[in-house]
């Protein structure tokens, strides 16, 4: 048993004065301990009374700042940071000092701040983790902890119904194995849970399963902070994951576990192994898929018809591509198509071309994605194996989704070809970061004479073409995963089903206004992400109850609204 650590939450329950009705926090910490507790620290906003009651006199400058002034001060300091990385480091420092202020600033400046605390800047942060490391946040579990993972998790302050984002760091964004540096991802994603869905920060638990790294640069770096060893593999790895999941169930019953940035192989294996035994989902696979389906729903709202009418080409058959393919098929079935017909309308390519029956060396794991030989028997094929050019031409593609990580693979010839047979081609170059996009929105719009509807993975500016403004919606998973989390946790669901993901897509698509759809924007604006999360959460929660995956509950919509934490200072009373 590990000892010397407290599992109690440092954040007390909000209390209400029976006489005045005032909400307040009963706080037992005093002095330096209070100033050093980020969930409770108010910095210069402690009132004169609180300074007296909590032994803070002399520890703060005289002036009492309302939060608005503090927000101005934060904006001022961000302004003087030159690089995005400096801004990221400053913001993480702020989170470690005063979470209320950090989240308030984030919520009031979502559009500008999300790229700083998450993609693309988080990639640099993960890469340089061991050099910029300042203060530990989250839980690191290593092979040294085998046999006592339950104790390691138990040391963490408790919160009811938490969200855990866990990674084993092997495939961080598009930058590969980052060892202990992968912790930047769970921390960043959970910051988005708190900001976008109002999950209180004490309910957010970032976990790094630091099972070693096969990144030679990290292993050779004297400053590397992680478990300096080659990765755990095979049975040892599987046993480690099994022990971790069992420990989560014991220590955090009712928690939501979000798998994040595992390698292609382990992400599918872990998901299928644990999906029905622990409330969990994988954002790279399922969150991305739900996002893309929502985009297609919004697009078909504009151009008419159904998703099942489209001929869809997915370029990239990794976590994102396979998840997208499966969930689009589910959406088509929901529209009334048969599973066989639905799957026949979706063509998937990997780095070796079209995934088709009989392709030499086709890995067994991809066999179920294969288009039949019958479907391609009349195709006119120029390239062997069958490449994207041939697929677009023969399949008369109307939707092109890029999740290959390869910049520029959607060429002018291909896009112009699409525009020949699709009145409004839907083009989604989703690969991140910006420089990896399969095509730029400006090119896609120009090559289709302004007819393409484009959504991207990274943020892109609007495109002006022949006097018309095309707004480029960002297919950012932040519109989906925080709402899914809020929904399942509010109703106490015990599983995340495909139908719940479909409900999330429908809710997200409905959050796009008619005006936005008119200018080609397939996703809401970042500034509206909290309202969007609430919508998604309600849809997911109702679906969970309808499917019997959560107990019946009255007033779900209101509970979801009430559940959303908004960062503001409550008065403190000494206990
Ligand atoms: P992954 O490594 O699991 O998969 C990449 C796939 O692309 C592999 O199957 C590979 O064979 C294939 N590929 C490589 N070169 C190709 C080529 N020239 N043509 C066709 N296929 C090719 O990665 P992933 O998690 O699936 O993510 C892929 C990309 O999608 C990344 O850039 C990621 O940033 C992006 N992504 C975006 C979003 C979003 O916008 N919301 C969400 C998830 C992933």
């Amino acid at each position: 048993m590990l000892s010397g650590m407290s599992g109690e939450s440092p954040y007390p329950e909000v209390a209400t004065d029976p006489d005045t009705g005032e909400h307040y926090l009963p706080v037992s910490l005093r002095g330096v301990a209070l100033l050093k507790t980020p969930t409770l620290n108010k910095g210069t906003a402690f009132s004169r009374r609180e300074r007296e009651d909590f032994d803070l006199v002399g520890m703060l400058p005289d002036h009492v700042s309302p939060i608005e002034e503090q927000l101005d001060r934060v904006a001022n300091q961000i302004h003087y940071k030159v690089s995005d990385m400096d801004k990221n480091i400053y913001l993480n420092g702020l989170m470690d000092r005063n979470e209320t202020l950090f989240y308030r600033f984030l919520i009031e400046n979502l559009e500008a701040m999300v790229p700083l605390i998450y993609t693309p800047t988080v990639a640099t942060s993960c890469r340089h983790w061991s050099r910029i490391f300042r203060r530990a946040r989250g839980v690191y579990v290593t092979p040294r902890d085998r046999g006592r993972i339950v104790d390691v998790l138990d040391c963490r302050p408790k919160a009811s119904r938490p969200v855990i984002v866990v990674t084993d760091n092997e495939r961080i964004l598009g930058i590969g194995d980052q060892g202990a540096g992968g912790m930047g991802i769970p921390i960043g994603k959970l910051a988005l849970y708190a900001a976008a869905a109002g999950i209180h920060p004490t309910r957010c638990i970032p976990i790094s399963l630091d099972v070693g790294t096969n990144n030679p640069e990290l292993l050779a770096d004297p400053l590397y902070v992680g478990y300096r060893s080659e990765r755990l593999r095979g049975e040892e790895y599987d046993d480690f994951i099994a022990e971790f999941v069992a420990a989560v169930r014991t220590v955090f019953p009712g928690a939501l576990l979000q798998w994040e940035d595992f390698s292609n192989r382990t992400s599918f294996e872990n998901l299928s192994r644990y999906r029905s035994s622990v409330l969990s989902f994988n954002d790279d696979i399922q969150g991305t898929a739900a996002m893309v389906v929502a985009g297609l729903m919004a697009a078909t709202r504009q151009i008419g018809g159904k998703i099942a009418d489209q001929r869809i080409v997915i370029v990239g058959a990794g976590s994102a591509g396979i998840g997208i393919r499966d969930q689009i098929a589910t959406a088509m079935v929901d529209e009334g198509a048969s599973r066989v017909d639905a799957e026949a309308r979706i063509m998937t390519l990997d780095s070796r071309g079209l995934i088709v029956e009989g392709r030499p060396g086709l890995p067994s794991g991809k066999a179920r994605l294969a288009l039949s030989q019958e479907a391609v028997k009349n195709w006119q094929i120029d390239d062997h194996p069958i490449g994207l050019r041939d697929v677009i031409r023969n399949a008369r593609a109307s939707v092109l989704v890029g999740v290959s990580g390869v910049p520029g693979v959607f060429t002018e010839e291909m896009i112009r070809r699409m525009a020949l047979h699709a009145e409004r081609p839907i083009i989604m170059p989703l690969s991140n970061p910006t420089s990896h996009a399969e095509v730029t929105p400006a090119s896609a719009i120009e090559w289709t004479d302004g007819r393409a509807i484009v959504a991207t993975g990274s943020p892109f500016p609007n495109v002006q073409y022949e006097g018309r403004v095309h707004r480029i919606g960002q297919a950012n998973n932040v519109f989906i995963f925080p709402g899914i989390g809020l929904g399942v946790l509010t109703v106490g669901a015990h599983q995340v089903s495909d139908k719940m993901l479909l409900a999330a897509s429908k809710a997200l698509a409905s959050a796009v206004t008619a005006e936005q759809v008119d200018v080609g924007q397939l996703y809401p604006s970042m500034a509206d992400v909290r309202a969007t999360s609430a919508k998604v959460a309600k849809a997911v929660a109702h679906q969970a109850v309808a499917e019997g995956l959560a107990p019946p509950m009255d007033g779900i919509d209101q509970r979801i609204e009430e559940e959303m934490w908004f960062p503001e200072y409550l008065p403190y009373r000494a206990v």
Side-chain angles (χ1 to χ4, degrees):
M1 183 72 184
L2 298 173
S3 61
M5 300 179 210
S6 157
E8 273 177 39
S9 170
Y11 195 81
E13 288 279 317
V14 176
T16 308
D17 187 305
D19 298 326
T20 62
E22 181 187 62
H23 296 306
Y24 65 93
L25 284 183
V27 172
S28 58
L29 293 178
R30 299 287 186 277
V32 175
L34 181 54
L35 293 179
K36 291 211 160 163
T37 301
T39 41
L40 291 173
N41 181 26
K42 300 183 184 180
T44 55
F46 277 112
S47 68
R48 289 201 194 287
R49 171 79 193 265
E50 287 168 336
R51 293 173 189 213
E52 296 289 340
D53 291 351
F54 291 94
D55 303 339
L56 298 172
V57 174
M59 292 192 183
L60 294 162
D62 182 69
H63 177 70
V64 175
S65 301
I67 198 164
E68 290 73 19
E69 260 177 44
Q70 291 185 314
L71 291 166
D72 280 350
R73 211 168 278 130
V74 171
N76 195 48
Q77 294 186 48
I78 293 258
H79 178 76
Y80 284 106
K81 303 288 174 203
V82 178
S83 71
D84 285 353
M85 202 47 223
D86 286 341
K87 293 177 188 183
N88 171 286
I89 291 171
Y90 168 76
L91 286 165
N92 278 300
L94 179 61
M95 176 163 43
D96 286 341
R97 284 195 302 280
N98 180 338
E99 287 189 321
T100 312
L101 184 58
F102 167 78
Y103 282 110
R104 185 65 167 268
F105 188 77
L106 185 50
I107 287 171
E108 293 195 3
N109 301 278
L110 278 162
E111 210 125 347
M113 291 304 118
V114 169
L116 294 176
I117 62 150
Y118 204 65
T119 48
T121 314
V122 72
T124 318
S125 168
C126 291
R127 235 191 251 278
H128 299 293
W129 196 254
S130 291
R131 284 158 194 281
I132 60 172
F133 186 81
R134 293 180 173 197
R135 179 179 178 172
R137 174 176 277 270
V139 185
Y140 290 87
V141 189
T142 77
R144 285 183 227 288
D145 301 315
R146 278 177 284 194
R148 59 165 192 180
I149 297 178
V150 76
D151 296 334
V152 174
L153 299 189
D154 206 27
C155 291
R156 190 179 180 289
K158 298 294 167 306
S160 75
R161 296 172 297 126
V163 186
I164 295 167
V165 176
V166 64
T167 183
D168 75 353
N169 315 297
E170 188 166 5
R171 204 241 47 198
I172 295 299
L173 303 164
I175 58 169
D177 186 344
Q178 295 304 316
M183 182 56 119
I185 298 296
I187 292 175
K189 282 240 152 151
L190 285 162
L192 298 180
Y193 263 104
I199 304 282
H200 193 278
T202 52
R203 294 173 63 195
C204 295
I205 308 177
I207 299 185
S208 166
L209 300 179
D210 183 4
V211 293
T213 176
N214 291 354
N215 181 332
E217 279 174 34
L218 295 179
L219 289 172
D221 182 350
L223 289 188
Y224 181 56
V225 294
Y227 179 72
R228 200 182 293 266
S229 166
E230 301 245 308
R231 281 189 167 272
L232 219 56
R233 290 283 190 216
E235 206 174 316
E236 279 191 308
Y237 175 87
D238 292 344
D239 290 349
F240 185 84
I241 298 289
E243 186 187 338
F244 166 70
V245 172
V248 166
R249 294 178 56 168
T250 305
V251 179
F252 304 113
L256 169 66
L257 186 65
Q258 178 171 320
W259 304 97
E260 196 67 43
D261 285 3
F262 284 68
S263 78
N264 224 327
R265 183 183 56 81
T266 53
S267 61
F268 285 101
E269 274 177 14
N270 290 334
L271 183 64
S272 64
R273 200 167 286 163
Y274 299 110
R275 187 176 181 184
S276 56
S277 60
V278 64
L279 176 66
S280 57
F281 73 105
N282 180 308
D283 189 51
D284 308 307
I285 302 171
Q286 297 163 294
T288 305
M291 276 286 305
V292 170
V293 168
L296 294 181
M297 286 172 173
T300 46
R301 227 169 80 199
Q302 193 192 20
I303 63 181
K306 300 192 278 193
I307 300 176
D309 301 330
Q310 305 299 322
R311 295 164 310 277
I312 295 172
V313 176
I314 299 170
V315 183
S319 311
I322 295 176
I324 292 167
R325 183 254 185 202
D326 289 346
Q327 195 62 13
I328 290 179
T330 299
M332 288 179 173
V333 170
D334 184 62
E335 289 175 335
S338 72
R339 176 72 51 181
V340 173
D341 287 349
E343 291 184 350
R345 298 186 80 88
I346 310 171
M347 280 128 279
T348 313
L349 291 87
D350 62 12
S351 55
R352 308 203 35 216
L354 178 67
I355 300 178
V356 59
E357 270 173 14
R359 192 180 87 180
L362 185 67
S364 58
K366 288 185 181 168
R368 68 176 188 85
L369 312 177
L371 201 62
S372 67
Q373 277 297 336
E374 176 67 20
V376 299
K377 74 170 188 234
N378 294 324
W379 282 21
Q380 291 178 348
I381 295 164
D382 290 339
D383 302 323
H384 290 278
I386 304 172
L388 181 55
R389 223 162 40 126
D390 285 334
V391 174
I392 289 178
R393 181 160 44 90
N394 286 286
R396 301 169 66 82
S398 58
V399 175
L400 190 53
V401 180
V403 277
S404 63
V406 184
V409 289
F410 298 171
T411 63
E412 179 169 356
E413 180 195 353
M414 294 171 188
I415 300 287
R416 285 196 185 279
R417 167 62 68 167
M418 251 186 113
L420 284 183
H421 46 245
E423 179 54 34
R424 302 294 311 273
I426 300 166
I427 301 176
M428 295 187 173
L430 297 185
S431 288
N432 296 311
T434 318
S435 58
H436 286 218
E438 284 80 2
V439 66
T440 64
S443 297
I445 286 168
E446 187 196 327
W447 297 336
T448 56
D449 306 321
R451 286 184 283 126
I453 301 176
V454 184
T456 51
S458 299
F460 273 90
N462 296 338
V463 174
Q464 190 98 25
Y465 182 79
E466 296 196 340
R468 230 188 122 209
V469 175
H470 297 252
R471 268 204 246 146
I472 309 303
Q474 191 195 350
N476 192 322
N477 290 24
V478 72
F479 291 119
I480 278 280
F481 70 81
I484 293 176
L486 177 62
V488 295
L489 289 172
T490 304
V491 290
H494 51 86
Q495 222 184 91
V496 180
S497 69
D498 288 348
K499 284 189 177 165
M500 284 152 73
L501 296 168
L502 197 57
S505 299
K506 289 178 185 173
L508 174 54
S510 76
V512 186
T513 64
E515 296 74 42
Q516 287 170 331
V517 171
D518 268 354
V519 287
Q521 187 179 334
L522 297 187
Y523 296 99
S525 302
M526 193 62 79
D528 298 326
V529 71
R530 279 175 74 92
T532 305
S533 295
K535 244 184 172 172
V536 169
K538 289 170 191 172
V540 168
H542 283 286
Q543 181 62 35
V545 172
E547 274 183 78
L549 293 174
M553 180 182 273
D554 291 330
I556 287 177
D557 292 0
Q558 194 186 337
R559 287 212 199 191
I560 281 172
E561 298 283 348
E562 287 166 2
E563 189 97 347
M564 290 180 78
W565 168 74
F566 181 75
E568 59 193 348
Y569 295 132
L570 288 175
Y572 292 176
R573 296 193 189 175
V575 291

